[in-house]
Amino acid sequence: METKRMRRPQQPAPAPDSEREGPFWAASAAAERKPPRLMHLHPSTALLLLASLLLICVALSGAHRSLPPLDRLRGKGGLENDTFRSLGDGPKDRFLHGLLAAGFDEQSCLSRYQSVFYSKESPHVPSSYLVEKLRNYEALHKKCGPNTELYKEAVEQLKSDHGTQSTECNYVIWISYSGLGNKMLSIASAFLYALLTNRVLFIDRGFDMADLFCEPFPESSWLLPLDFPINELDSFDAKTHRGYGNMLKDKVISNSDDGGTSTHSLPAYIYLHLSHDYGDYDKLFFCEDDQRFLRSVPWLLLRSNNYFVPSLFMIPTYEQELKHLFPEKGTVFHHLGRYLFHPTNSVWGLITRYYQSYLAKADERVGIQVRTFETDAGPFQYVLDQILACTRKAKLLPDASGQDTVVSTPNTKSKAVLMTSLNSGYSENIRNMYWEHPTATGEIISVYQPSHEGYQQTEKQMHDMRALAEIYLLSLTDVLVTSAWSTFGYVAQGLGGLRPWILFKPENHTAPDPPCRRAMSIEPCFHAPPFYDCKAKTGADTGALVPYVKHCEDMSWGLKLVDQN
């Protein structure tokens, strides 16, 4: 972690309403008026007035202390900088145009209410249909969630291992698996599937999910109850007999209308293996007939390390619903990610302390996320060359001048570069370059890297907490550079609504030319999509079937959602 001393966090306050309503503004207005001229008043009246004024001052002082110290963030790069949300937007925008529900205890999850004051106003407004759908889902989750009678009935049916179509509450369980970026992408995918199929989502808490994220749904938990009767979730994989693909292949079930499985003999649960190593039968999950069959199964257990949303858009059953939910197709993860993923207070403290100590005062923040897939630790010169070539090509960072000195003016701009990598070598080299040589433009460049863990430590609590903090810090930057194939970068760009510059994957230890390109959309890439036309029942290029699903910039076989314009 960064060794410099960090200041105590200064939490920005909600913006006052522009019409100055409420007791705080009324008291302020009273204080601004001149006091009466006491020399013409009776002594007892004057004493009463003085006492009243004293009480007003005390009240104002107390009100001021009860608010987060907003004024301390003002000044260069502070709240008056357009990096922060406009104060005129008011407290209503804390709910992101209705995306978030009210009614939570603010102190239990500070990030839910405070994050809006650290990020830019998003140009992407959720549709009213999505907002209504989320409120309906929250009611369903409360109705069918842990400790409800309907949940207990569904669990008893699960124990009997007999399915039925008359179940009032149906469920999809996300099984904890893979690295943090993959987890967040697959949870968002599973949640969208739950919305489309009127199911309740539970997440397997794994090693540390409860330590990372606040509860997203009011008055109910999304964590799978500890007494859930299926306790071997970690053992589910591509070979599991209760896997959907294996059951189809072994003819235990049939997805056709004339199949041999009746509603009376349906299994109580089916395991869906949607990870990178899934087989052809597993991939039939994305076909119309298979979705019709799966609707009859009360419990679906899902394991994935993929963002499989693009293929949901290609299932005809969900086409119109998705169109209404997301008129801007390239904003699915942006909306669902901001709705679902609120860092716990512990993680939020890591984020806000670092942001206020190193990033808040800069005129511009540049995020650079570096991930290499080499077996050696690095750093590698060709990766450093690629980073510098990309930031210069995109005009994100200035050249270091060959002159000994460049005169800076009082209006000199400052840029804070936030770098995230398992290795500290890249940030150290760039920091030294700007320390030893002035910039040709006279800009002041500061380079920071919160941690350098050396290697990925999946499901190690503090490692994952730092990873989430760094993902979130990247999402708060103004411009972003990410690494090819990295789900870490995908999550940051999606949460921040940033269309990043993507560093191409180097080949043969050589920096590629061009070094990077601008992403088509802010959406993540589906790394392992099916290449199958369900209607034609033949192989097909699924990146060419509909205009809003294209192949990814950084992975030629991957799929991502884009807006048609």
Side-chain angles (χ1 to χ4, degrees):
M1 296 289 292
E2 179 70 44
T3 57
K4 295 181 181 179
R5 183 182 300 273
M6 293 184 283
R7 298 179 306 204
R8 293 179 60 84
Q10 307 294 330
Q11 305 294 357
D17 188 82
S18 58
E19 295 181 1
R20 293 192 171 193
E21 296 177 346
F24 177 76
W25 282 111
S28 298
E32 288 171 1
R33 290 192 290 267
K34 292 183 179 180
R37 298 178 62 185
L38 301 181
M39 65 184 67
H40 297 299
L41 298 175
H42 190 277
S44 60
T45 305
L47 285 173
L48 285 172
L49 284 173
L50 283 171
S52 299
L53 286 172
L54 182 61
L55 286 173
I56 290 173
C57 292
V58 170
L60 280 173
S61 175
H64 177 75
R65 284 196 300 270
S66 67
L67 292 172
L70 192 69
D71 56 311
R72 298 185 191 179
L73 288 173
R74 292 186 181 276
K76 185 177 179 182
L79 283 172
E80 292 174 348
N81 185 285
D82 65 359
T83 300
F84 281 86
R85 179 180 289 269
S86 168
L87 292 178
D89 290 341
K92 64 183 181 295
D93 281 327
R94 295 196 300 171
F95 301 109
L96 306 180
H97 300 281
L99 189 71
L100 304 182
F104 285 87
D105 174 22
E106 181 169 349
Q107 294 303 312
S108 68
C109 187
L110 296 172
S111 65
R112 175 184 293 276
Y113 293 98
Q114 294 182 0
S115 60
V116 68
F117 298 106
Y118 286 83
S119 59
K120 279 185 176 181
E121 172 77 37
S122 173
H124 309 292
V125 177
S127 69
S128 59
Y129 190 81
L130 173 60
V131 170
E132 181 183 3
K133 189 80 171 180
L134 292 174
R135 299 296 87 82
N136 291 338
Y137 173 83
E138 290 160 3
L140 176 68
H141 197 102
K142 181 180 177 182
K143 174 184 174 183
C144 301
N147 301 317
T148 62
E149 290 303 317
L150 289 172
Y151 170 76
K152 293 174 184 177
E153 290 175 12
V155 167
E156 288 304 313
Q157 182 189 44
L158 176 63
K159 291 177 180 178
S160 72
D161 203 18
H162 291 293
T164 174
Q165 287 185 309
S166 62
T167 306
E168 190 167 354
C169 297
N170 295 316
Y171 301 86
V172 56
I173 296 174
W174 173 87
I175 299 174
S176 183
Y177 166 59
S178 198
L180 181 60
N182 300 73
K183 287 177 179 177
M184 296 175 72
L185 296 180
S186 60
I187 288 174
S189 304
F191 179 64
L192 179 57
Y193 183 65
L195 287 182
L196 295 172
T197 57
N198 204 37
R199 291 179 179 270
V200 171
L201 172 70
F202 284 140
I203 67 165
D204 168 25
R205 62 191 71 208
F207 181 76
D208 58 3
M209 295 302 291
D211 299 315
L212 298 176
F213 301 108
C214 301
E215 294 280 0
F217 313 132
E219 300 182 69
S220 189
S221 177
W222 70 337
L223 296 174
L224 184 66
L226 293 172
D227 60 354
F228 186 68
I230 302 175
N231 53 21
E232 67 274 12
L233 296 177
D234 289 344
S235 66
F236 284 82
D237 59 21
K239 298 178 182 179
T240 299
H241 294 302
R242 290 294 289 265
Y244 183 60
N246 290 328
M247 294 177 81
L248 285 177
K249 185 169 58 177
D250 298 337
K251 298 186 176 4
V252 176
I253 57 174
S254 172
N255 58 11
S256 61
D257 292 334
D258 58 351
T261 304
S262 69
T263 57
H264 299 291
S265 60
L266 282 170
Y269 80 90
I270 283 179
Y271 166 61
L272 302 172
H273 188 76
L274 301 181
S275 295
H276 66 281
D277 59 346
Y278 61 164
D280 291 339
Y281 282 94
D282 295 309
K283 294 174 184 178
L284 294 175
F285 168 84
F286 297 106
C287 291
E288 182 93 353
D289 292 341
D290 300 80
Q291 283 301 309
R292 189 181 303 114
F293 171 81
L294 289 169
R295 279 198 289 272
S296 305
V297 182
W299 294 85
L300 298 178
L301 280 56
L302 186 151
R303 188 177 197 247
S304 177
N305 57 359
N306 276 305
Y307 182 70
F308 55 82
V309 166
S311 286
L312 294 179
F313 272 76
M314 302 172 74
I315 301 174
T317 299
Y318 307 133
E319 186 175 1
Q320 285 302 312
E321 182 77 354
L322 287 166
K323 180 180 178 181
H324 293 311
L325 288 170
F326 302 102
E328 289 183 276
K329 293 180 175 64
T331 62
V332 176
F333 185 79
H334 181 59
H335 293 315
L336 296 186
R338 293 190 304 157
Y339 173 76
L340 290 171
F341 302 120
H342 305 284
T344 58
N345 287 352
S346 296
V347 179
W348 187 238
L350 294 176
I351 295 164
T352 55
R353 287 191 294 272
Y354 201 90
Y355 188 93
Q356 292 170 18
S357 295
Y358 303 115
L359 306 178
K361 292 185 178 180
D363 293 305
E364 185 179 9
R365 283 150 283 276
V366 179
I368 302 177
Q369 180 259 333
V370 183
R371 175 67 194 273
T372 62
F373 294 90
E374 303 290 350
T375 55
D376 298 333
F380 305 101
Q381 184 62 43
Y382 61 89
V383 173
L384 178 63
D385 293 342
Q386 181 184 7
I387 295 168
L388 294 174
C390 176
T391 53
R392 288 166 181 159
K393 169 187 163 80
K395 295 181 170 45
L396 305 181
L397 292 177
D399 287 330
S401 172
Q403 305 175 41
D404 290 335
T405 58
V406 172
V407 177
S408 296
T409 67
N411 296 322
T412 297
K413 288 188 175 182
S414 63
K415 286 187 178 182
V417 181
L418 174 72
M419 296 194 68
T420 66
S421 174
L422 294 172
N423 191 292
S424 63
Y426 305 107
S427 63
E428 288 172 358
N429 274 278
I430 295 175
R431 183 188 297 119
N432 289 340
M433 180 183 74
Y434 285 119
W435 179 36
E436 295 168 2
H437 306 284
T439 60
T441 58
E443 291 175 289
I444 304 301
I445 309 297
S446 304
V447 183
Y448 306 103
Q449 180 172 334
S451 71
H452 41 88
E453 301 283 286
Y455 62 95
Q456 186 168 333
Q457 302 167 50
T458 300
E459 295 200 340
K460 183 178 178 182
Q461 184 186 35
M462 197 59 209
H463 176 85
D464 283 350
M465 291 175 71
R466 289 191 187 110
L468 178 57
E470 291 184 7
I471 286 173
Y472 209 100
L473 285 165
L474 286 171
S475 78
L476 299 177
T477 58
D478 301 297
V479 291
L480 184 60
V481 177
T482 61
S483 296
W485 298 20
S486 176
T487 57
F488 194 101
Y490 295 159
V491 174
Q493 74 192 43
L495 291 178
L498 300 167
R499 196 157 60 92
W501 291 86
I502 303 176
L503 297 165
F504 290 118
K505 190 171 182 292
E507 300 290 343
N508 300 319
H509 303 283
T510 303
D513 186 19
C516 60
R517 66 165 288 187
R518 193 81 184 273
M520 294 180 286
S521 74
I522 63 178
E523 275 288 287
C525 178
F526 181 8
H527 282 178
F531 292 97
Y532 185 72
D533 187 328
C534 296
K535 290 182 180 179
K537 298 189 184 303
T538 184
D541 179 3
T542 46
L545 296 180
V546 293
Y548 45 83
V549 177
K550 299 292 185 186
H551 288 297
C552 306
E553 305 87 349
D554 55 331
M555 185 175 281
S556 60
W557 60 88
L559 298 180
K560 74 180 299 183
L561 289 165
V562 299
D563 289 304
Q564 291 172 253
N565 58 354

